[in-house]
Amino acid sequence: MLKINNLHARVEEKEILKGINLTVNAGEVHAIMGPNGSGKSTLSSVLAGNEKFIVTEGSVEFEGQNLLEQSIEKRAAMGLFLGFQYPVEIPGVSMANFLRMAVNSQRKTQGLEPIKAGEFLKMMREKAEIVELGDKLMGRAVNEGFSGGEKKRNEIFQMAMLQPKLAVLDETDSGLDVDALRIVATGVQKLRRPDNATIVITHYQRLLDYIIPDFVHVLYDGKIIHSGTKELALEIEEKGYDWIINK
Amino acid sequence: MKTYDITTQQHISDHIQVAGDIDIVYNIRAGAQLDLQQITTTKENAKENAKDSTKINITYNLEQGATLNVNTLDIDNKLLHRTQTFNLIGTGASANATGLYITADGEKSTNNIKMNHLNPNCTSSQTYKGLVGGVSEFLGHIFIEKDAQHTQALQQNHNILLNPSARVISNPWLEIYADDVKCNHGATVGKNDPDAIYYLRQRGIPELDAKKLMLEAFIDECVMNHPSKDELLELISAKLKTL
């Protein structure tokens, strides 16, 4: 599904990604861990097409296509979803209006008719339940006045609405209390299917108690320096990163 | 000059196609209410010939307990200079003014507001927003007379610049001689939030649609209660395409 090969990227003059290699297949969950400043968020931004970052070397293939050539919105329509670490507040744009536009824009790119109003409302209700997000948030502006936990649950709700092939969740667990963490993680778990994949970027092992990864990678100084299975996350929790970095 | 006497509750919704200067006075009598909605556009041939500003002067005289809600929308004009003078003459009068102005490159709009609080217990609010590709001026004067105690006066002016050569002049001016008043103002000039555009695009919404959605959201509070909202959004949409 996703093949990242020797990916280098910089922001302004600073090189942040220094040769990432990663392959993700359908049905897999990958966790990317690593200390602050190692390039985790940069990786997710580069995949999404954030124009602040400039790819200087390497390639990314997604669903058999050159991902880096595509616009941000095209990548989304191809099935790439980014769960934002800091979801953006958009005053004046209602959740319902925003999601209808998003769903229909993606459908249009995929050559499908716009979704019927009744079907859309039913879908909104069903998907909101996955992350226990109440009806009242749907009438509000996107993320405006949402609590930290509501914003993160809203990201997973949008993921459920858009049904991406690959979801990249950038520190979705940061700033969450235990209950919100459980709701978010259970939501992600419910959305797992054999034909989709998830990359979970996280600082902490605790999220991985709920979302069991198939692979755990350690990102340090712009490179993946170590990969393993879910036991690696536990080991990092116990011993930190130094033993890997110093190897 | 035209003078109107408003003695009951009256609703006026106008679409003015500017051809020359306009002078109007509304006398809103004690206890009466005027809801005024005014869309202003300039005919294409008048635009071509425009050398001097077209002047629209409107004066509102509010007697005791009178209420005014006015919404002006300057959508498609070459050089427009609008002055609105609000005289809160009677106690307990209330004026609520909202407005939107849109200018393309080579166009200029001026909104000159004079909010005169002359007696106690009056309230006023001003909310003006601009989508600016040319030059737009907002001059907002709040004057509070010595005797006009317990005045509440609010003023907001927010602008989005649509291109690098766009220019906004926002000039709040508060002149207060009473000591027991509540007054505040705020002014911003900025661009469409790039983080919000990125967020919308990441959800699959094409860049142009995302920008349009953001602009519509920005102006929503100026148009949401308009009786001919659909016609209005069409006018605005047509204008935005030229920017």
Side-chain angles (χ1 to χ4, degrees):
Chain A
M1 177 177 286
L2 180 76
K3 261 192 207 136
I4 303 175
N5 184 29
N6 190 32
L7 184 65
H8 290 247
R10 62 177 168 86
V11 61
E12 286 156 7
E13 292 310 308
K14 194 169 187 289
E15 188 175 37
I16 299 182
L17 301 184
K18 301 174 182 174
I20 303 259
N21 293 296
L22 179 68
T23 300
V24 177
N25 297 309
E28 293 176 352
V29 173
H30 290 245
I32 296 180
M33 303 181 75
N36 276 333
S38 56
K40 301 191 297 295
S41 285
T42 299
L43 176 60
S44 61
S45 297
V46 168
L47 291 178
N50 188 327
E51 286 153 353
K52 283 179 199 156
F53 299 88
I54 298 169
V55 173
T56 51
E57 210 183 322
S59 65
V60 180
E61 192 187 304
F62 179 57
E63 291 286 278
Q65 293 197 59
N66 180 348
L67 186 73
L68 301 176
E69 275 180 357
Q70 315 295 335
S71 65
I72 299 169
E73 51 268 36
K74 179 72 195 301
R75 296 179 196 207
M78 284 164 71
L80 180 78
F81 177 90
L82 173 62
F84 282 66
Q85 182 177 5
Y86 303 108
V88 184
E89 297 195 10
I90 311 182
V93 178
S94 75
M95 278 297 300
N97 193 14
F98 157 63
L99 275 170
R100 191 178 300 112
M101 269 186 90
V103 168
N104 283 336
S105 297
Q106 293 203 14
R107 288 174 70 96
K108 193 176 170 189
T109 310
Q110 295 154 359
L112 300 169
E113 291 287 304
I115 192 167
K116 291 195 178 70
E119 199 183 321
F120 176 75
L121 287 174
K122 185 166 162 259
M123 185 170 159
M124 288 249 295
R125 263 197 306 275
E126 281 172 13
K127 304 295 185 189
E129 270 174 30
I130 295 176
V131 283
E132 302 175 29
L133 211 51
D135 275 354
K136 68 175 201 298
L137 291 186
M138 298 305 139
R140 303 233 307 255
V142 179
N143 290 321
E144 195 184 32
F146 285 31
S147 70
E150 283 168 344
K151 281 182 183 166
K152 296 302 178 80
R153 275 148 64 189
N154 192 17
E155 293 295 288
I156 306 305
F157 166 60
Q158 290 170 44
M159 173 182 161
M161 289 294 290
L162 296 168
Q163 304 176 20
K165 292 188 180 119
L166 175 66
V168 181
L169 305 178
D170 189 6
E171 306 216 9
T172 299
D173 53 335
S174 67
L176 292 185
D177 62 32
V178 177
D179 287 332
L181 180 74
R182 179 185 51 76
I183 294 168
V184 163
T186 312
V188 173
Q189 196 65 22
K190 280 181 191 163
L191 297 173
R192 258 182 106 157
R193 289 200 319 240
D195 61 345
N196 66 21
T198 311
I199 296 176
V200 182
I201 292 171
T202 181
H203 258 297
Y204 304 105
Q205 195 276 331
R206 59 176 197 167
L207 179 67
L208 306 177
D209 285 339
Y210 301 94
I211 307 173
I212 315 291
D214 299 295
F215 301 96
V216 175
H217 309 279
V218 175
L219 187 61
Y220 179 72
D221 193 24
K223 283 183 187 165
I224 289 176
I225 56 166
H226 194 76
S227 296
T229 53
K230 62 177 194 288
E231 287 75 21
L232 176 59
L234 291 166
E235 218 173 333
I236 290 168
E237 178 86 348
E238 196 183 316
K239 301 196 283 192
Y241 292 107
D242 287 351
W243 64 278
I244 305 171
I245 293 167
N246 296 330
K247 224 166 35 180
Chain B
M1 187 196 292
K2 278 189 195 166
T3 304
Y4 295 91
D5 267 332
I6 311 295
T7 53
T8 55
Q9 182 170 355
Q10 205 168 335
H11 189 124
I12 301 174
S13 190
D14 275 343
H15 181 169
I16 298 181
Q17 300 216 312
V18 179
D21 293 354
I22 294 172
D23 257 300
I24 309 175
V25 177
Y26 292 99
N27 293 314
I28 309 166
R29 302 300 181 190
Q33 177 170 340
L34 172 62
D35 297 322
L36 176 64
Q37 263 138 346
Q38 197 178 77
I39 300 174
T40 311
T41 54
T42 303
K43 287 185 180 146
E44 278 310 313
N45 57 351
K47 262 188 176 179
E48 282 163 22
N49 301 329
K51 290 192 187 68
D52 301 318
S53 290
T54 306
K55 292 187 177 61
I56 299 182
N57 294 314
I58 310 178
T59 303
Y60 310 92
N61 296 314
L62 283 79
E63 295 185 357
Q64 189 175 346
T67 303
L68 168 67
N69 297 304
V70 55
N71 175 245
T72 57
L73 303 156
D74 305 335
I75 294 176
D76 190 18
N77 306 286
K78 179 82 178 172
L79 291 164
L80 185 68
H81 192 287
R82 176 195 293 282
T83 301
Q84 294 185 91
T85 307
F86 303 77
N87 296 316
L88 300 162
I89 298 165
T91 56
S94 162
N96 171 29
T98 57
L100 169 70
Y101 43 89
I102 304 178
T103 53
D105 198 10
E107 296 177 355
K108 183 178 177 189
S109 76
T110 300
N111 268 280
N112 184 12
I113 307 288
K114 298 174 181 174
M115 187 63 75
N116 298 320
H117 281 264
L118 306 173
N119 265 303
N121 296 311
C122 293
T123 59
S124 70
S125 71
Q126 305 167 39
T127 307
Y128 283 82
K129 289 192 168 184
L131 298 180
V132 183
V135 179
S136 287
E137 258 184 319
F138 174 80
L139 314 168
H141 185 196
I142 297 176
F143 173 84
I144 303 180
E145 180 69 88
K146 187 160 66 47
D147 296 332
Q149 300 294 0
H150 311 294
T151 289
Q152 248 194 65
L154 316 174
Q155 181 188 89
Q156 294 289 325
N157 176 231
H158 302 294
N159 300 278
I160 289 186
L161 299 171
L162 299 171
N163 64 52
S165 66
R167 209 150 66 89
V168 167
I169 299 147
S170 182
N171 189 4
W173 175 22
L174 278 59
E175 195 180 355
I176 303 172
Y177 298 101
D179 51 19
D180 187 8
V181 302
K182 195 175 159 191
C183 217
N184 72 27
H185 74 95
T188 59
V189 180
K191 288 191 298 186
N192 240 340
D193 177 5
D195 291 337
I197 303 282
Y198 172 52
Y199 190 81
L200 293 168
R201 292 178 72 190
Q202 208 300 305
R203 298 309 186 235
I205 299 172
E207 185 175 10
L208 280 176
D209 292 346
K211 286 183 173 164
K212 191 162 162 262
L213 183 66
M214 292 292 294
L215 295 181
E216 283 170 4
F218 174 75
I219 64 173
D220 189 57
E221 69 175 316
C222 299
V223 301
M224 65 181 170
N225 294 320
H226 204 278
S228 37
K229 188 175 172 182
D230 291 344
E231 180 207 355
L232 182 59
L233 288 177
E234 242 167 66
L235 273 174
I236 291 173
S237 182
K239 180 68 176 177
L240 289 179
K241 276 189 198 133
T242 69
L243 300 179

